[in-house]
Amino acid sequence: MDIELSTHTKDMLRERKIPEEWVWLTIDKPDWKNIGEDNNIHYFKSITEHGKRVLHVVVNPHISPQKVVTVFFD
C-alpha cells in the first residue's frame, strides 16, 4: 500500500508526541476501520503503551499516493 504522511500529520505527530510507528501499526493491523462521512478511511487501534487509548488515523484513499490526513487519540 502506497501511503504518505501529510505535512499536517507530521506536525500533529510532533505536537502530540505520537510515534510514527504507531501510525503504520494502526494502518497495517487496525482493531477496526470504517469509511467516514468524509469518504476517508478511518483506522482505529488501542495502543497499550498509551494507556490503551485508541489511536485514530484518517487516510484519504482518493489520491495517489494515498495520504494520512490526520492522527489523534480518541
Side-chain angles (χ1 to χ4, degrees):
M1 195 177 332
D2 192 18
I3 300 177
E4 293 181 353
L5 302 176
S6 68
T7 301
H8 172 76
T9 298
K10 291 175 186 176
D11 291 344
M12 293 302 97
L13 291 176
R14 277 190 302 276
E15 181 179 308
R16 297 172 179 161
K17 297 178 175 50
I18 299 171
E20 185 178 329
E21 64 196 46
W22 291 355
V23 173
W24 303 121
L25 177 64
T26 301
I27 292 170
D28 290 340
K29 296 182 181 176
D31 292 340
W32 75 93
K33 67 180 180 177
N34 62 39
I35 304 296
E37 292 180 14
D38 56 6
N39 288 320
N40 289 328
I41 302 173
H42 295 248
Y43 296 86
F44 303 88
K45 184 154 190 75
S46 176
I47 303 295
T48 304
E49 299 87 348
H50 199 69
K52 294 189 179 180
R53 290 185 61 195
V54 175
L55 186 63
H56 187 163
V57 178
V58 181
V59 175
N60 180 344
H62 307 290
I63 57 176
S64 183
Q66 296 179 35
K67 197 157 287 219
V68 178
V69 177
T70 195
V71 57
F72 55 91
F73 278 98
D74 283 343

